[in-house]
């Protein structure tokens, strides 16, 4: 039987630290800290609940991150 692949390690970074930052600088900072994917979403966006290792999600309103979470 084939082994289950090990997902890539996520950066040791707290999503809470991005809340309140302007969206563009927050995205650049997240990429510098090792996030492979950074997704900006408007408030109330309908998204899938699939978890992607290495992805950081931002909810952005009026150009600022109002919520951030992994996956």
């Amino acid at each position: 039987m084939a082994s289950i692949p090990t997902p890539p390690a996520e950066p040791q970074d707290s999503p809470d630290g991005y809340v309140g930052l302007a969206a563009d600088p927050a995205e650049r900072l997240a990429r510098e800290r090792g996030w492979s994917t950074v997704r900006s979403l408007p408030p109330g966006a309908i998204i899938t609940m699939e978890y992607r290792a290495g992805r950081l999600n931002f909810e952005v309103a009026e150009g600022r991150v109002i919520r951030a979470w992994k996956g």
Side-chain angles (χ1 to χ4, degrees):
M1 174 173 9
S3 62
I4 297 173
T6 303
E10 291 184 338
Q12 296 298 308
D13 187 26
S14 173
D16 293 337
Y18 296 93
V19 175
L21 298 178
D24 289 339
E27 182 174 344
R28 282 192 299 274
L29 180 61
R31 292 185 187 285
E32 288 171 7
R33 291 182 175 173
W35 294 100
S36 58
T37 304
V38 181
R39 181 167 65 168
S40 293
L41 305 160
I46 297 172
I47 59 172
T48 63
M49 295 302 294
E50 67 183 320
Y51 186 89
R52 297 259 182 185
R55 178 169 65 191
L56 187 62
N57 299 290
F58 292 152
E59 185 173 352
V60 177
E62 298 178 12
R64 297 226 166 251
V65 177
I66 59 172
R67 180 176 167 231
W69 69 99
K70 296 178 181 183

